[in-house]
Amino acid sequence: MFLFWSLVFPLALMTAMYVTFGSVYDMINSIDPHKTVIIAEDDSEFTAGFEEVIRSMADESSEEHYFDLQEGLTREEAEEKIKANDIETMFVVSDDSIEVFLSNDHSATAAVVAQSVANTYRNKFEVIMDAMEKDPQAAMRILEDSGEMKEYTKSREDAFSGDPNVYSWYFYSSFVMGIFFNATGGAAIVSDLKADVSCEAMRFSASPEKKSKMLVCSFLARLIPALVICGIHLAVMSTVFNVDLGSDPLKLILFTVAANIFSISFGIICGLIFKGTLENRANKTTAVLMLSVFLSGEMINTLPGTIEKVCPIINDINPATVMNLAFYRMALFDQPLDFYTNMAKIVGASIVFIIIGTIILRREKYASL
Amino acid sequence: MSEILRVDGLVKRYKELIALDNVSLKVKEGEIFGLLGPNGSGKSTTINCILSLLDFDKGKITVFGKEMTPKSYDLKKDIGVVPQEVAVYDTLTVYENIDFFCGLYIKDKAKRKQYVQEAIDFVALNDFTKFRPKKLSGGLKRRLNIACGIAHKPKLIFFDEPTVAVDPQSRNKILEGIEQLRKNGATIVYTSHYMEEVEQLCDRLSIIDKGHVIAEGTIDELKGMIKKSEIITIETAGLEDKILDKIGELPHVFNAEYKDNVLKVEAGSGKHNVIDIVNILQDNGYSMKKIFSEQPTLNDVFLELTGKELRDE
């Protein structure tokens, strides 16, 4: 059961996601450069700046190589080529306006890219010009930082209400779900050590082994296989599904270890709170996990955003959401503060759970056996 | 023989319910000591208290001459437990289970390997060492359960109803094994509600009912506590009431019943009870088909002491 929920089930979900949407995602993320022409109607700063932007995106060495720029064409020649579908996009730039013309058989991607680039440039230019009038030094700083601005995003907006990367989110939440299911292992630790829950624990309690030692051994016996399973998940996500896992392996390791420790310690608390046999405790723990994972957006990726608007505290205390966000922020955004804030929550909760669990398990005086 | 286990005035309460009320026991080295009582009488609670698995309200428990506490790790090394339920891991094989539980006591690998093999030989599970418990029959599981409890060669072993739900053949093997353990030098505390087992196995025993020790001693001492010492059964046809009355008036007879052509007489200690009854029947011209004379059982002891049968509950 443990291997199914922790290893097989998340991989099955990831595979289903990859088979269903992987090709679409790859297509969106591998845009072929479109044949493009710029018709500059004047020599304004606005026009020159836009030409510069498009040229940078036509550079073959650039990561954002979206355009195949056709030089030396007049507007009439360009229009002829558009009509003949020889060129896909034509920008006509004058003063502070950009007109976008598309060929009849243009692709949806070409239209989205052309419109997005034009709109983004317009907006940024307005901001810069406005700043120039009010504070030229600030405007220069904006210009200097403009290259980096596209790398940074406000965490709350992008994680919840903005435009989350659905594809990545699904893989991340499946990975986190696999980790979180280790909580059932935490419930099993309770069964291993509480003599009123299992006969095996009765044998342990009657043996000369110290309970604290058995607790550590039992914990490690769950943690080590869980980490191995995570390694398999990450390897498959990275190599088979081409999922972006971020650029910092240390943070990835830190997250994986902390999240697994948290999940197991969370399971210990669940195992202590719930009553009955190991099976009863594990089933009730699984029910809690399911609810937590559902609220974190495993099934409906916009759910955390909705919850954030209505009752944000649920996101703040929902373990699966906290872990999802930590992973999402680590992998997709360069936001150390947000990442470490979530990690602090995970580690803090783990410490509290482990302390409570240890005290109760070591000092247990059974009312009945 | 020195005292291996001593329990003095043990009291255990579950809120209003008094589970153990001033229970006292003494177990001597090398004996098989039985705890006999109906289900819910307090046998398992007593053992759990002795093993420090269960907190108790009052009393003192001494094992190997030292007071037993949850942290008496030196004492626990020499104690083995065979719990009532089969306590093994389904994911481990027979060998791995025995090795795992033995490993809680024996750290030396070579020594442990030898002990595990000896335990496997002892319970005759050699053909099943690579099997997982789910594939074993009920009797084999019980034998595995025993092997896990005795592999580390404890000096004091607690068997908590080890033959519940076991077929007669496996039960006999288990009982023979326990007898063998005693011969090997172990002291055994054996709980059961099967009086036949206790009679067959135990040197001394305590009878527990509702948390009280109601009697303690050897089998003969316990049987000597009750006035009934012989039950005589005779098959004869058409016995008249006056003859039945005459039999009932014999000096050691305190109860005589006749039903379905069977005469059943309960008598106290007397040398010629059977002869006296047979003489009366012969003198009055009755022919007899079968004659039995039985000693009282522990159930009779329990019945006389508590007014109910051991298996009533």
Side-chain angles (χ1 to χ4, degrees):
Chain A
M1 272 313 262
F2 165 73
L3 279 179
F4 174 78
W5 288 111
S6 295
L7 177 66
V8 180
F9 187 57
L11 281 181
L13 287 179
M14 288 181 198
T15 306
M17 181 68 177
Y18 183 72
V19 169
T20 312
F21 298 110
S23 55
V24 177
Y25 182 76
D26 287 344
M27 189 184 76
I28 291 169
N29 285 279
S30 58
I31 299 168
D32 291 331
H34 309 117
K35 284 187 177 175
T36 304
V37 65
I38 303 176
I39 306 299
E41 302 239 299
D42 58 31
D43 298 328
S44 65
E45 286 182 0
F46 182 84
T47 305
F50 186 71
E51 275 188 295
E52 187 60 31
V53 168
I54 295 300
R55 277 182 209 290
S56 72
M57 297 173 95
D59 183 355
E60 285 183 16
S61 62
S62 167
E63 284 184 9
E64 295 169 339
H65 181 210
Y66 299 149
F67 301 114
D68 177 7
L69 197 56
Q70 306 293 301
E71 304 278 8
L73 295 175
T74 64
R75 178 164 184 164
E76 289 74 23
E77 287 169 340
E79 282 174 347
E80 285 299 318
K81 283 189 178 285
I82 283 264
K83 283 175 187 167
N85 292 321
D86 290 338
I87 290 175
E88 212 166 356
T89 312
M90 179 173 76
F91 295 105
V92 179
V93 194
S94 65
D95 199 8
D96 59 350
S97 74
I98 303 169
E99 288 181 276
V100 179
F101 296 88
L102 297 160
S103 62
N104 286 332
D105 62 350
H106 69 271
S107 67
T109 311
V112 169
V113 171
Q115 289 294 353
S116 299
V117 170
N119 290 340
T120 306
Y121 181 77
R122 250 187 241 114
N123 294 338
K124 279 191 179 176
F125 190 80
E126 282 169 13
V127 171
I128 292 163
M129 293 310 290
D130 188 44
M132 276 289 192
E133 285 176 13
K134 292 174 183 168
D135 184 354
Q137 285 185 336
M140 289 310 293
R141 279 201 299 275
I142 292 171
L143 279 171
E144 284 166 8
D145 294 343
S146 60
E148 295 172 26
M149 279 169 69
K150 62 191 173 195
E151 301 292 336
Y152 286 80
T153 322
K154 282 186 180 175
S155 59
R156 286 280 167 186
E157 285 180 4
D158 276 287
F160 290 122
S161 58
D163 183 20
N165 184 328
V166 178
Y167 188 72
S168 298
W169 180 269
Y170 190 84
F171 280 96
Y172 297 161
S173 58
S174 297
F175 175 67
V176 166
M177 182 187 69
I179 292 177
F180 204 24
F181 267 115
N182 290 317
T184 55
I189 289 174
V190 174
S191 168
D192 276 351
L193 299 176
K194 267 176 73 76
D196 59 341
V197 180
S198 77
C199 293
E200 292 84 359
M202 187 181 162
R203 280 198 197 277
F204 284 139
S205 300
S207 80
E209 288 290 3
K210 291 182 179 176
K211 241 183 179 177
S212 51
K213 184 183 171 185
M214 286 191 283
L215 179 60
V216 172
C217 291
S218 192
F219 198 95
L220 289 177
R222 263 80 189 184
L223 180 61
I224 293 167
L227 291 176
V228 172
I229 286 172
C230 283
I232 295 170
H233 278 162
L234 291 172
V236 172
M237 283 165 70
S238 174
T239 57
V240 179
F241 302 135
N242 299 317
V243 177
D244 185 1
L245 299 177
S247 57
D248 193 338
L250 280 178
K251 277 186 190 170
L252 186 60
I253 293 169
L254 174 66
F255 170 82
T256 306
V257 173
N260 274 293
I261 290 174
F262 168 80
S263 299
I264 297 170
S265 55
F266 180 81
I268 291 176
I269 296 300
C270 287
L272 288 171
I273 292 171
F274 298 131
K275 302 296 175 196
T277 61
L278 168 62
E279 199 176 15
N280 287 336
R281 289 168 198 244
N283 287 343
K284 287 170 187 170
T285 304
T286 305
V288 172
L289 302 184
M290 291 283 194
L291 178 65
S292 175
V293 167
F294 175 75
L295 292 176
S296 76
E298 168 69 23
M299 309 299 288
I300 307 165
N301 74 293
T302 54
L303 192 57
T306 309
I307 292 170
E308 187 69 7
K309 287 175 191 165
V310 179
C311 187
I313 194 169
I314 292 175
N315 281 333
D316 291 335
I317 62 170
N318 181 11
T321 306
V322 172
M323 286 194 283
N324 266 349
L325 283 179
F327 196 88
Y328 192 77
R329 284 165 178 166
M330 174 201 68
L332 289 190
F333 304 115
D334 185 11
Q335 295 174 312
L337 182 63
D338 286 325
F339 170 72
Y340 287 118
T341 302
N342 277 23
M343 288 304 295
K345 282 185 191 177
I346 293 169
V347 173
S350 303
I351 292 168
V352 171
F353 289 164
I354 288 171
I355 290 171
I356 293 171
T358 305
I359 290 171
I360 294 176
L361 285 172
R362 284 194 67 227
R363 295 186 178 175
E364 186 77 65
K365 288 180 179 177
Y366 301 106
S368 62
L369 278 174
Chain B
M1 284 194 290
S2 62
E3 229 171 55
I4 288 282
L5 168 67
R6 186 186 176 102
V7 177
D8 291 308
L10 191 63
V11 176
K12 171 67 188 172
R13 292 191 186 90
Y14 294 111
K15 295 181 182 172
E16 300 300 313
L17 176 76
I18 300 175
L20 296 178
D21 189 4
N22 207 29
V23 168
S24 295
L25 308 168
K26 286 173 195 170
V27 180
K28 293 172 189 168
E29 188 179 1
E31 73 175 353
I32 299 180
F33 184 85
L35 273 177
L36 180 67
N39 291 331
S41 58
K43 303 186 296 293
S44 295
T45 304
T46 304
I47 287 188
N48 290 332
C49 287
I50 293 170
L51 294 171
S52 287
L53 300 175
L54 197 57
D55 196 27
F56 51 87
D57 299 284
K58 208 174 160 186
K60 189 180 176 185
I61 295 165
T62 311
V63 179
F64 306 125
K66 294 178 184 174
E67 186 171 357
M68 182 73 174
T69 67
K71 291 185 178 177
S72 300
Y73 301 117
D74 55 331
L75 301 181
K76 288 181 177 183
K77 279 180 185 173
D78 290 320
I79 296 175
V81 187
V82 178
Q84 194 168 341
E85 289 175 47
V86 177
V88 296
Y89 287 108
D90 286 336
T91 48
L92 301 181
T93 63
V94 164
Y95 185 93
E96 288 165 344
N97 262 300
I98 300 170
D99 185 52
F100 178 78
F101 286 112
C102 187
L104 296 173
Y105 299 81
I106 309 292
K107 301 299 170 195
D108 182 84
K109 281 187 181 176
K111 193 176 176 185
R112 190 164 78 231
K113 193 175 178 184
Q114 179 200 332
Y115 279 19
V116 170
Q117 191 52 54
E118 285 175 11
I120 289 169
D121 293 340
F122 184 78
V123 295
L125 282 176
N126 302 63
D127 295 336
F128 305 96
T129 51
K130 290 181 180 174
F131 281 55
R132 293 189 198 286
K134 274 188 178 176
K135 292 198 172 179
L136 300 180
S137 67
L140 292 177
K141 273 185 197 168
R142 286 277 168 189
R143 278 147 69 177
L144 171 61
N145 198 35
I146 291 171
C148 292
I150 56 122
H152 60 285
K153 297 192 186 298
K155 293 176 186 166
L156 174 62
I157 310 172
F158 291 87
F159 284 90
D160 193 1
E161 309 218 26
T163 57
V164 170
V166 170
D167 61 273
Q169 193 183 359
S170 293
R171 176 179 294 184
N172 286 339
K173 286 208 177 235
I174 290 170
L175 297 182
E176 284 168 16
I178 292 169
E179 183 60 46
Q180 187 59 43
L181 283 171
R182 188 258 289 276
K183 283 179 186 166
N184 294 346
T187 304
I188 314 280
V189 175
Y190 186 89
T191 78
S192 180
H193 63 275
Y194 295 125
M195 57 193 173
E196 302 88 350
E197 284 180 7
V198 173
E199 270 195 82
Q200 179 187 337
L201 205 61
C202 298
D203 304 308
R204 289 192 314 117
L205 70 141
S206 281
I207 297 179
I208 297 186
D209 184 44
K210 293 180 179 173
H212 293 269
V213 175
I214 56 173
E216 184 181 339
T218 63
I219 307 286
D220 289 340
E221 283 170 351
L222 291 175
K223 287 180 179 175
M225 286 179 182
I226 59 172
K227 56 182 181 180
K228 179 170 66 181
S229 64
E230 193 174 10
I231 300 164
I232 300 155
T233 309
I234 300 172
E235 275 188 38
T236 183
L239 189 67
E240 293 173 72
D241 286 346
K242 63 176 184 181
I243 305 301
L244 185 63
D245 291 342
K246 202 171 178 181
I247 292 169
E249 285 165 8
L250 284 169
H252 298 293
V253 171
F254 52 84
N255 189 30
E257 289 175 1
Y258 182 69
K259 194 178 175 185
D260 299 331
N261 291 336
V262 175
L263 170 66
K264 192 172 181 182
V265 179
E266 293 178 3
S269 56
K271 286 183 180 174
H272 311 293
N273 291 330
V274 177
I275 294 168
D276 291 346
I277 295 166
V278 168
N279 284 341
I280 291 173
L281 292 173
Q282 279 182 335
D283 291 348
N284 290 280
Y286 288 96
S287 61
M288 291 158 275
K289 287 183 182 172
K290 291 177 184 173
I291 302 171
F292 302 103
S293 173
E294 297 169 292
Q295 295 294 305
T297 63
L298 285 173
N299 190 47
D300 296 317
V301 176
F302 192 80
L303 180 65
E304 193 162 318
L305 293 174
T306 66
K308 64 187 178 190
E309 301 232 7
L310 256 173
R311 290 176 187 167
D312 277 354
E313 294 169 27

